[in-house]
Amino acid sequence: MKESRLFKIVYYLLDKGQATAPELAEKFEVSVRTIYRDIDALSSAGIPVYAEPGRNGGIRLMKDFVLDKAVLSEEEKQEILTALQSINAAQNIGSSQTLQKLSAIFNLNSENWLEVDFSGWSNKKFDNEKFELLKSAVIQRRSIKIRYAGSYKAISERIVQPLRLVYKSKAWYLKAFCTEKQDLRIFKLNRILDLEILNESFKYRSFTEPINDSGEEYNQITLRFPKEMAYRVYDEFDKTQVQRQANGDLIASAKMPEDAWLTGFLLSFGTQVDILSPDYLKEVIAEQAKLIYEKNKS
């Protein structure tokens, strides 16, 4: 228990820069006297930690101190290397060099058993360049101008302040503040057709949902599929969203955007899906199917 607290104190000081003894005592739920004993123990173990008196004083680590590699267990080292191996979203992120350096420091030969590639099948180079530009804009807090294919509208240009890149449900998204809407929005990366980093900087703001670029709350959609469609159902829905019926049918229920994507998604199942709710969605799909028939019957 004490050893765990000692490491946590070091991590805390590395993160915060400095802390007072009462602050650490409150953080780790011990007495101030215990904190001073911990500091003595760390110092005796060779950790360059010291207490500086005065109004702006506190407990600090020596400048440029880094944790020795022995602090990490063999399992933790392997987990770090595995995490780096999985980062192949863009080839220019430098993970390969970092992986080599850490492998040498840890004295581990990490088998490259895992590969994660988030780029599309069509144009990997463009996907990687887009990812790199967005990553730079997020880190540097620079506004970007994007040409975006929205859910309901025609392609539009927007200036946004990129806050975070998110991977969710098989796709990358950009969480950003839209200057046109003066609100937080989420943009799907593959719908960003072009982007340009601007010279305008911005102050970071916390991001709270909505989880879509329209700002509207998604409605619950409930669908029934025959058992033959199980391979596709579990491609699109988590098993917690699916209930198997006695006859083998699958009932899937989830909050989904009611847009052109949903229409196309449902039509792709042909006659192998029944819309249970909402009722008005049945009419939308029936009308679209009728239009497809009229357009192609000749």
Side-chain angles (χ1 to χ4, degrees), residues 133-144:
L133 286 172
L134 289 171
K135 182 187 74 172
S136 297
V138 171
I139 293 173
Q140 297 172 16
R141 295 182 186 172
R142 299 261 299 277
S143 297
I144 58 174

Side-chain angles (χ1 to χ4, degrees), residues 142-155:
R142 299 261 299 277
S143 297
I144 58 174
K145 181 167 71 174
I146 63 173
R147 194 161 65 92
Y148 189 72
S151 299
Y152 295 100
K153 301 179 181 178
I155 294 172

Side-chain angles (χ1 to χ4, degrees), residues 8-247:
K8 289 177 181 178
I9 289 174
V10 175
Y11 295 143
Y12 188 81
L13 293 175
L14 283 170
D15 181 46
K16 301 296 183 181
Q18 74 170 47
T20 64
E23 178 185 346
L24 291 173
E26 182 179 358
K27 171 74 176 176
F28 298 107
E29 299 180 347
V30 294
S31 67
V32 171
R33 175 178 283 185
T34 298
I35 290 296
Y36 279 121
R37 284 200 295 263
D38 288 345
I39 299 305
D40 288 339
L42 287 171
S43 183
S44 299
I47 303 295
V49 60
Y50 66 97
E52 190 174 79
R55 180 180 177 184
N56 297 318
I59 298 170
R60 293 186 175 93
L61 291 165
M62 291 288 288
K63 188 178 180 180
D64 299 328
F65 168 75
V66 294
L67 284 175
D68 187 85
K69 63 181 180 180
V71 170
L72 298 171
S73 68
E74 293 299 309
E75 183 180 356
E76 290 169 331
K77 295 173 188 176
Q78 190 64 57
E79 287 176 357
I80 291 172
L81 295 178
T82 298
L84 284 172
Q85 287 173 354
S86 71
I87 303 175
N88 277 330
Q91 292 182 346
N92 298 323
I93 57 176
S95 63
S96 179
Q97 291 182 359
T98 306
L99 185 61
Q100 291 173 3
K101 290 177 182 177
L102 283 179
S103 294
I105 291 172
F106 294 161
N107 195 25
L108 284 178
N109 254 333
S110 182
E111 293 294 333
N112 202 359
W113 64 273
L114 178 65
E115 179 177 348
V116 180
D117 190 345
F118 294 121
S119 61
W121 291 102
S122 56
N123 193 338
K124 182 174 181 176
K125 182 174 183 294
F126 177 71
D127 288 341
N128 290 342
E129 288 175 352
K130 183 194 297 183
F131 188 94
E132 277 294 298
L133 286 172
L134 289 171
K135 182 187 74 172
S136 297
V138 171
I139 293 173
Q140 297 172 16
R141 295 182 186 172
R142 299 261 299 277
S143 297
I144 58 174
K145 181 167 71 174
I146 63 173
R147 194 161 65 92
Y148 189 72
S151 299
Y152 295 100
K153 301 179 181 178
I155 294 172
S156 62
E157 284 193 353
R158 307 193 195 190
I159 294 178
V160 302
Q161 298 170 353
L163 303 175
R164 187 177 301 167
L165 286 165
V166 178
Y167 186 78
K168 184 182 176 93
S169 186
K170 307 176 188 176
W172 278 103
Y173 295 86
L174 173 69
K175 291 187 173 183
F177 180 82
C178 178
T179 58
E180 177 188 345
K181 302 294 184 181
Q182 285 295 297
D183 202 359
L184 298 164
R185 292 289 187 268
I186 289 186
F187 302 94
K188 198 169 185 178
L189 256 62
N190 62 9
R191 294 184 185 178
I192 298 177
L193 308 180
D194 294 294
L195 69 97
E196 175 188 353
I197 299 181
L198 306 177
N199 289 325
E200 304 168 10
S201 59
F202 62 91
K203 291 184 179 180
Y204 181 79
R205 66 183 81 212
S206 60
F207 192 98
T208 54
E209 303 303 322
I211 57 170
N212 60 80
D213 65 341
S214 67
E216 298 175 0
E217 187 71 25
Y218 291 156
N219 291 323
Q220 194 81 12
I221 309 295
T222 304
L223 310 166
R224 179 170 58 219
F225 302 89
K227 59 185 178 182
E228 292 78 14
M229 287 289 105
Y231 73 100
R232 284 201 60 191
V233 171
Y234 289 111
D235 271 349
E236 303 294 342
F237 299 93
D238 184 86
K239 67 177 183 179
T240 60
Q241 299 171 317
V242 180
Q243 293 182 344
R244 182 177 290 275
Q245 306 301 296
N247 65 351

